[in-house]
Amino acid sequence: VTWQETLFDYERPTNHVLYSAAARVSNDAWRLASGREAPAFSARAVRLPALLAAALAVPLLGLLLRDWGFPRAGVAAAFVLALHPWHLLHGAEARGYSFLVLFAIAACLALGRALTTGSGRAWAGYAVSLVALVWSHLFGVWLALALGMAALAGTWTGAEPGLRSARVTRAGVAHLVAGMLLLQVLAPNLAQIPGWREHFVGRSATQLSVAAIGHLWSFAATGFEARHKGAPPERHEEMYPSLAERMDGRPWIGAAVLGLIPLLAAIGGLRVLVRRGAPAWVAAALAASIPLAIVATQLQGGQWYPRFVLWILVPVLGFACIGIETAAERMPWPDARTRAAGVAACLAAGIAAWLALTAPQTALLLTRPQLPSAEAVALARQVAGEGGLVAVLGLRGGNMHFVLYDPHLRELEDAEDLAELVDEASAKGVGLAVLYAYAYKNRDVRPEAFRHLDDPARFEEAGVLHAVQDDRMTRVLRWTGRPLDGAGP
């Protein structure tokens, strides 16, 4: 793979360009240090940039809230972000979502300081952050648009009349430079969008609905899926908790997640807004960018998943912690010293309750692999035996990662392919193993193939390898040696 492909291959919207470049540099450094040559790679090296970005986002969130005038809430929000299951999930996978969070916070921090001080250095930092934000993931353009409107409005209303023209000019130059830089690094990618856009228009991954917004809120507030899409044979109920399962028989959890947390976030957001000034403009942009991104994409018939707006963690956690601080400060404390201690205690209690709520999901993330690709391929090879065939069902449907661990895997797309593989294995007198992840999608797209794979007389389960999400769980099947229906004597 050339650097030109790394930076400008955009035949599908799955190349998070800035992350691809960072991961390549990290992997090249690992090769240099270890003496390995291409195509050798290290999963840890490829994921290292995501981990570093997720770690850097934690103190930056604390700094952002401190700049807003809430240092205690900033410490609390940073602590929660560090342990938030959704942040942990995307901070350990080789995609650009942790970059999206990092540069969203950096852009908000830089814009707040630019509006407050008017310094050229702050505006330069803001421009660079905008470029990195959109370069990380194209959905970042919606936050950039919201921040841009806030920047111009905040500059015009916040500056003294004598300084207004100069500050508006600096803001305009910052956005102009950011736009020019983005065109330089993204123009070849944007030119490729018409080639794949028709494939996605009208096939939105998430339809705008109350259920979809609830799903997004569940991820943002707790890191849990709201509820699972179904229950295929691969899924083990107790292995993958959802918010609906956590709420079953525990009404207080529903009251907290659907009532208390949004109430606290609303209180915190309103407190920032009524203070006016730079923090209010930045906070308003953060809050407005989420519905802007979702509604605009929906109106265009495009695709969106909850993770595309992962920066929602910033306003949700930040506003909620400010809300706790605000509510605690309103309590009838006897003196200022007791009030300070009491506010800190309320923040600590809120964090402890939230950690108890999210503990099952946190434990899952800390004890399971992101994708058990290497283990699944090794098991499949063992099951197939010497000279045996190993096939991946739905190889092009999100399962390409298996090929990294065995480039000789066979592609299996439908029942006809399966019948041909069975015939080939039978003719050669060798074993056959089939593996797949993304059970929901595979079963929906390839029902005829599963008519054979679910037949225990022809395929028996050799193993199920669990992952951090149920759609990444991988199943390995062993062919029993019996021909398929209509596939031989």
Side-chain angles (χ1 to χ4, degrees):
V1 178
T2 66
W3 269 103
Q4 181 175 340
E5 290 174 300
T6 299
L7 294 174
F8 303 120
D9 185 353
Y10 213 61
E11 293 180 0
R12 290 174 66 88
T14 50
N15 179 13
H16 300 172
V17 181
L18 186 57
Y19 190 86
S20 295
R24 180 164 187 166
V25 169
S26 179
N27 196 62
D28 286 350
W30 169 80
R31 284 179 186 160
L32 185 64
S34 63
R36 305 287 294 276
E37 295 183 358
F41 80 100
S42 164
R44 290 183 178 179
V46 170
R47 291 173 178 165
L48 181 61
L51 177 63
L52 294 177
L56 286 172
V58 172
L60 275 189
L61 180 57
L63 287 176
L64 177 64
L65 266 64
R66 188 192 68 176
D67 278 12
W68 289 0
F70 304 97
R72 290 176 299 196
V75 172
F79 186 87
V80 173
L81 179 64
L83 296 175
H84 195 289
W86 213 20
H87 191 60
L88 292 175
L89 172 66
H90 294 294
E93 64 178 10
R95 295 196 282 184
Y97 298 113
S98 60
F99 277 28
L100 196 59
V101 175
L102 173 65
F103 294 119
I105 300 174
C108 290
L109 187 64
L111 176 58
R113 294 182 176 183
L115 291 175
T116 301
T117 66
S119 75
R121 181 179 298 180
W123 282 115
Y126 169 65
V128 171
S129 297
L130 285 187
V131 173
L133 173 68
V134 180
W135 203 9
S136 297
H137 194 289
L138 285 185
F139 248 64
V141 74
W142 302 113
L143 175 58
L145 180 60
L147 289 173
M149 292 187 291
L152 295 177
T155 302
W156 183 260
T157 60
E160 297 178 8
L163 301 174
R164 185 170 293 163
S165 296
R167 291 203 171 184
V168 169
T169 300
R170 281 189 173 182
V173 169
H175 289 94
L176 180 63
V177 170
M180 292 172 62
L181 289 174
L182 278 171
L183 283 177
Q184 293 297 314
V185 297
L186 279 178
N189 307 67
L190 298 176
Q192 297 171 63
I193 290 179
W196 52 257
R197 190 174 186 273
E198 288 185 6
H199 177 72
F200 294 103
V201 169
R203 298 177 58 185
S204 177
T206 306
Q207 294 294 331
L208 184 59
S209 64
V210 173
I213 300 305
H215 199 60
L216 173 61
W217 175 257
S218 179
F219 273 128
T222 67
F224 286 106
E225 285 193 79
R227 61 180 67 252
H228 294 296
K229 295 181 282 292
E234 297 84 354
R235 202 170 96 73
H236 295 248
E237 198 74 18
E238 71 281 359
M239 298 295 287
Y240 297 93
S242 68
L243 181 59
E245 290 161 6
R246 290 285 286 157
M247 289 169 55
D248 187 24
R250 306 179 186 92
W252 59 90
I253 291 181
V257 176
L258 303 178
L260 182 59
I261 295 178
L263 175 62
L264 290 171
I267 292 172
L270 286 172
R271 186 173 182 191
V272 178
L273 292 176
V274 298
R275 284 192 165 194
R276 302 181 180 278
W281 287 112
V282 175
L286 268 172
S289 65
I290 306 301
L292 173 64
I294 294 172
V295 172
T297 303
Q298 195 74 28
L299 290 175
Q300 297 176 68
Q303 277 194 327
W304 70 276
Y305 291 91
R307 62 180 179 269
F308 286 8
V309 289
L310 190 63
W311 73 84
I312 192 177
L313 290 173
V314 181
V316 169
L317 301 186
F319 292 170
C321 288
I322 294 173
I324 294 175
E325 180 177 317
T326 300
E329 287 177 344
R330 298 299 187 271
M331 294 181 182
W333 306 104
D335 52 59
R337 185 175 180 180
T338 306
R339 176 181 291 106
V343 170
C346 288
L347 285 168
I351 291 173
W354 181 84
L355 289 175
L357 168 65
T358 58
Q361 188 70 3
T362 305
L364 181 152
L365 292 167
L366 295 178
T367 56
R368 295 187 198 161
Q370 285 276 325
L371 284 164
S373 308
E375 298 88 343
V377 170
L379 175 60
R381 278 293 170 202
Q382 179 184 347
V383 167
E386 186 175 354
L389 307 179
V390 177
V392 179
L393 182 66
L395 183 62
R396 299 178 186 178
N399 288 313
M400 289 298 293
H401 49 87
F402 291 118
V403 180
L404 295 172
Y405 299 94
D406 188 344
H408 304 294
L409 295 175
R410 305 289 288 272
E411 183 175 350
L412 177 56
E413 284 298 317
D414 52 36
E416 291 182 4
D417 288 347
L418 180 60
E420 290 175 4
L421 281 170
V422 166
D423 287 344
E424 182 180 346
S426 180
K428 292 180 177 179
V430 297
L432 168 64
V434 176
L435 67 151
Y436 64 91
Y438 303 98
Y440 299 109
K441 180 177 180 180
N442 264 316
R443 287 184 174 276
D444 182 56
V445 175
R446 303 172 178 89
E448 285 301 311
F450 276 97
R451 186 174 66 84
H452 301 299
L453 294 175
D454 287 338
D455 182 355
R458 289 169 174 78
F459 288 92
E460 57 186 16
E461 187 173 273
V464 174
L465 293 88
H466 290 285
V468 292
Q469 291 181 319
D470 59 351
D471 64 347
R472 301 183 187 185
M473 176 178 54
T474 303
R475 192 181 186 207
V476 180
L477 302 174
R478 176 192 292 108
W479 175 52
T480 63
R482 295 187 58 178
L484 306 187
D485 294 335

